[in-house]
Coordinates of all heavy atoms in Angstrom, one line a residue:
Q30 N 37.5 -29.0 46.7 CA 36.4 -28.4 46.2 C 35.6 -29.3 45.2 O 36.2 -30.0 44.4 CB 36.6 -27.0 45.4 CG 35.5 -26.3 44.8 CD 35.9 -25.0 44.2 OE1 37.1 -24.7 44.1 NE2 35.0 -24.2 43.7
Q31 N 34.3 -29.4 45.3 CA 33.6 -30.3 44.4 C 33.6 -29.9 42.9 O 33.5 -28.7 42.6 CB 32.3 -30.4 44.8 CG 32.0 -31.0 46.3 CD 30.5 -31.1 46.7 OE1 29.6 -30.7 45.9 NE2 30.4 -31.7 47.9
Q32 N 33.8 -30.9 42.0 CA 33.6 -30.6 40.6 C 32.2 -30.1 40.2 O 31.3 -30.7 40.7 CB 34.1 -31.7 39.7 CG 35.6 -32.2 40.0 CD 36.5 -31.1 39.4 OE1 36.1 -30.4 38.5 NE2 37.7 -31.0 40.1
P33 N 32.1 -29.2 39.1 CA 30.8 -28.8 38.7 C 30.1 -30.0 38.0 O 30.8 -30.8 37.4 CB 31.1 -27.7 37.6 CG 32.4 -27.9 37.1 CD 33.2 -28.5 38.4
P34 N 28.9 -30.1 38.0 CA 28.1 -31.2 37.5 C 28.3 -31.2 36.0 O 28.4 -30.1 35.3 CB 26.7 -31.0 37.9 CG 26.6 -29.4 38.1 CD 28.0 -29.0 38.7
A35 N 28.4 -32.3 35.4 CA 28.5 -32.4 33.9 C 27.1 -32.2 33.3 O 26.1 -32.9 33.8 CB 29.0 -33.8 33.7
Y36 N 27.1 -31.3 32.3 CA 25.8 -31.0 31.6 C 25.6 -32.1 30.5 O 26.6 -32.6 29.9 CB 25.9 -29.6 31.0 CG 26.0 -28.5 32.2 CD1 27.2 -27.9 32.4 CD2 24.8 -28.1 32.6 CE1 27.2 -26.9 33.3 CE2 24.9 -27.0 33.6 CZ 25.9 -26.5 34.0 OH 26.1 -25.6 34.9
P37 N 24.4 -32.3 30.1 CA 24.2 -33.3 29.1 C 24.6 -32.8 27.7 O 24.4 -31.6 27.4 CB 22.7 -33.5 29.2 CG 22.1 -32.2 29.7 CD 23.2 -31.7 30.7
Q38 N 25.3 -33.7 27.1 CA 25.8 -33.2 25.7 C 24.6 -33.3 24.7 O 23.6 -34.0 24.9 CB 26.9 -34.3 25.3 CG 28.1 -34.2 26.1 CD 28.8 -32.9 26.0 OE1 28.7 -32.3 25.0 NE2 29.5 -32.6 27.1
P39 N 24.7 -32.3 23.6 CA 23.5 -32.4 22.6 C 23.6 -33.6 21.9 O 24.6 -34.3 21.7 CB 23.9 -31.2 21.7 CG 25.3 -31.0 21.9 CD 25.7 -31.3 23.3
P40 N 22.4 -34.0 21.4 CA 22.4 -35.4 20.7 C 23.1 -35.4 19.4 O 23.2 -34.4 18.7 CB 20.9 -35.6 20.6 CG 20.3 -34.2 20.5 CD 21.0 -33.4 21.5
T41 N 23.7 -36.4 19.1 CA 24.5 -36.6 17.9 C 23.6 -37.0 16.8 O 22.9 -38.0 16.8 CB 25.7 -37.6 18.1 OG1 26.4 -37.2 19.2 CG2 26.4 -37.6 16.8
Y42 N 23.4 -36.1 15.7 CA 22.6 -36.3 14.6 C 23.4 -37.1 13.5 O 24.6 -37.0 13.5 CB 22.0 -35.1 13.9 CG 21.2 -34.3 14.9 CD1 21.6 -33.3 15.7 CD2 19.8 -34.7 15.0 CE1 20.8 -32.6 16.4 CE2 19.0 -34.0 15.8 CZ 19.5 -33.0 16.6 OH 18.7 -32.2 17.4
P43 N 22.7 -37.9 12.7 CA 23.5 -38.5 11.7 C 24.1 -37.5 10.6 O 23.4 -36.5 10.4 CB 22.5 -39.4 11.1 CG 21.1 -38.9 11.4 CD 21.4 -38.2 12.8
Q44 N 25.2 -37.9 10.2 CA 25.9 -37.0 9.2 C 25.0 -36.8 7.9 O 25.0 -35.7 7.4 CB 27.2 -37.5 8.8 CG 28.2 -37.6 10.0 CD 29.5 -38.1 9.6 OE1 29.7 -38.3 8.5 NE2 30.4 -38.1 10.5
Q45 N 24.2 -37.7 7.5 CA 23.5 -37.6 6.3 C 22.1 -38.0 6.5 O 21.9 -39.1 7.1 CB 24.0 -38.3 5.2 CG 23.3 -38.3 3.8 CD 24.1 -39.0 2.7 OE1 25.1 -39.7 3.0 NE2 23.6 -38.8 1.5
Q46 N 21.2 -37.1 6.2 CA 19.8 -37.5 6.5 C 19.0 -37.5 5.1 O 19.2 -36.6 4.3 CB 19.2 -36.4 7.3 CG 17.7 -36.7 7.8 CD 17.2 -35.6 8.7 OE1 17.9 -34.7 9.0 NE2 16.0 -35.8 9.2
Q47 N 18.2 -38.5 5.0 CA 17.5 -38.6 3.7 C 16.4 -37.7 3.7 O 15.7 -37.4 4.8 CB 16.9 -40.1 3.6 CG 18.0 -41.2 3.6 CD 18.8 -41.0 2.3 OE1 18.2 -40.5 1.3 NE2 20.1 -41.4 2.3
P48 N 16.1 -36.9 2.6 CA 15.0 -36.0 2.5 C 13.6 -36.8 2.5 O 13.6 -37.9 2.2 CB 15.1 -35.4 1.1 CG 15.9 -36.3 0.3 CD 16.9 -37.1 1.4
P49 N 12.7 -36.1 3.0 CA 11.4 -36.7 3.1 C 10.8 -37.0 1.8 O 11.1 -36.2 0.8 CB 10.5 -35.8 4.0 CG 11.2 -34.5 3.7 CD 12.7 -34.7 3.6
T50 N 10.1 -38.0 1.7 CA 9.4 -38.4 0.5 C 8.0 -37.8 0.4 O 7.2 -37.9 1.3 CB 9.3 -40.0 0.4 OG1 10.5 -40.5 0.7 CG2 8.7 -40.3 -0.9
Y51 N 8.0 -37.0 -0.7 CA 6.6 -36.2 -0.9 C 5.7 -37.1 -1.7 O 6.2 -37.9 -2.5 CB 6.9 -34.9 -1.7 CG 7.8 -33.9 -0.8 CD1 9.1 -33.8 -1.0 CD2 7.1 -33.1 0.1 CE1 9.9 -32.9 -0.2 CE2 7.9 -32.2 0.9 CZ 9.2 -32.2 0.8 OH 10.0 -31.3 1.5
P52 N 4.5 -36.8 -1.5 CA 3.5 -37.6 -2.3 C 3.6 -37.5 -3.8 O 3.2 -38.4 -4.5 CB 2.2 -37.2 -1.8 CG 2.4 -35.8 -1.3 CD 3.8 -35.9 -0.7
Q53 N 4.1 -36.4 -4.3 CA 4.2 -36.3 -5.8 C 5.7 -36.1 -6.1 O 6.5 -35.6 -5.3 CB 3.5 -35.1 -6.3 CG 3.8 -33.7 -5.6 CD 3.0 -32.6 -6.1 OE1 2.0 -32.9 -6.8 NE2 3.3 -31.4 -5.7
Q54 N 6.0 -36.4 -7.4 CA 7.4 -36.3 -7.8 C 7.6 -35.0 -8.3 O 6.8 -34.3 -9.1 CB 7.5 -37.3 -9.0 CG 8.9 -37.3 -9.4 CD 9.1 -38.3 -10.6 OE1 8.1 -38.9 -11.0 NE2 10.3 -38.4 -11.2
Q55 N 8.8 -34.4 -7.9 CA 9.1 -33.0 -8.3 C 9.5 -33.0 -9.7 O 10.2 -33.8 -10.2 CB 10.2 -32.5 -7.4 CG 9.8 -32.3 -5.9 CD 10.8 -31.7 -5.0 OE1 12.0 -31.5 -5.6 NE2 10.6 -31.5 -3.7
P56 N 9.0 -31.9 -10.5 CA 9.5 -31.9 -12.0 C 10.8 -31.5 -12.0 O 11.4 -30.7 -11.2 CB 8.5 -30.9 -12.6 CG 8.0 -30.1 -11.4 CD 8.0 -31.0 -10.2
S57 N 11.5 -32.0 -12.9 CA 12.9 -31.6 -13.1 C 13.0 -30.5 -14.2 O 12.5 -30.7 -15.4 CB 13.7 -32.8 -13.6 OG 13.2 -33.4 -14.8
Y58 N 13.6 -29.5 -13.8 CA 13.6 -28.3 -14.7 C 15.1 -28.3 -15.4 O 16.0 -28.7 -14.8 CB 13.3 -27.0 -14.0 CG 12.0 -26.9 -13.4 CD1 11.7 -27.2 -12.2 CD2 11.0 -26.4 -14.2 CE1 10.4 -27.2 -11.7 CE2 9.7 -26.3 -13.9 CZ 9.4 -26.6 -12.5 OH 8.1 -26.5 -12.1
P59 N 15.1 -27.7 -16.6 CA 16.5 -27.6 -17.1 C 17.3 -26.6 -16.4 O 16.8 -25.8 -15.6 CB 16.1 -27.2 -18.6 CG 14.9 -26.5 -18.5 CD 14.1 -27.3 -17.4
Q60 N 18.5 -26.5 -16.8 CA 19.5 -25.6 -16.1 C 19.1 -24.2 -16.5 O 19.3 -23.3 -15.6 CB 20.9 -25.9 -16.6 CG 21.4 -27.3 -16.2 CD 22.8 -27.5 -16.7 OE1 23.5 -26.7 -17.3 NE2 23.4 -28.7 -16.3
Q61 N 18.6 -24.0 -17.7 CA 18.3 -22.5 -17.9 C 17.0 -22.2 -17.3 O 16.1 -23.0 -16.9 CB 18.0 -22.3 -19.5 CG 19.4 -22.6 -20.2 CD 19.8 -23.8 -20.5 OE1 19.0 -24.8 -20.1 NE2 20.9 -24.1 -21.1
Q62 N 16.9 -20.8 -17.0 CA 15.7 -20.3 -16.3 C 14.6 -20.3 -17.4 O 14.8 -19.9 -18.5 CB 16.0 -18.9 -15.8 CG 16.9 -18.9 -14.6 CD 16.4 -19.6 -13.3 OE1 15.2 -19.6 -13.2 NE2 17.3 -20.2 -12.6
P63 N 13.4 -20.7 -16.9 CA 12.2 -20.5 -18.0 C 11.9 -19.1 -18.2 O 12.3 -18.3 -17.4 CB 11.1 -21.2 -17.2 CG 11.4 -21.1 -15.8 CD 13.0 -21.1 -15.6
P64 N 11.4 -18.8 -19.3 CA 11.1 -17.4 -19.7 C 10.0 -16.8 -18.7 O 9.1 -17.5 -18.3 CB 10.5 -17.5 -21.1 CG 9.9 -18.9 -21.2 CD 10.8 -19.7 -20.3

Side-chain angles (χ1 to χ4, degrees):
Q30 186 176 3
Q31 296 181 0
Q32 296 294 330
Y36 294 97
Q38 297 295 330
T41 304
Y42 294 97
Q44 297 181 357
Q45 185 175 5
Q46 185 178 0
Q47 297 295 331
T50 303
Y51 294 94
Q53 62 182 2
Q54 184 179 359
Q55 296 182 354
S57 58
Y58 295 95
Q60 296 180 359
Q61 290 82 2
Q62 294 293 333

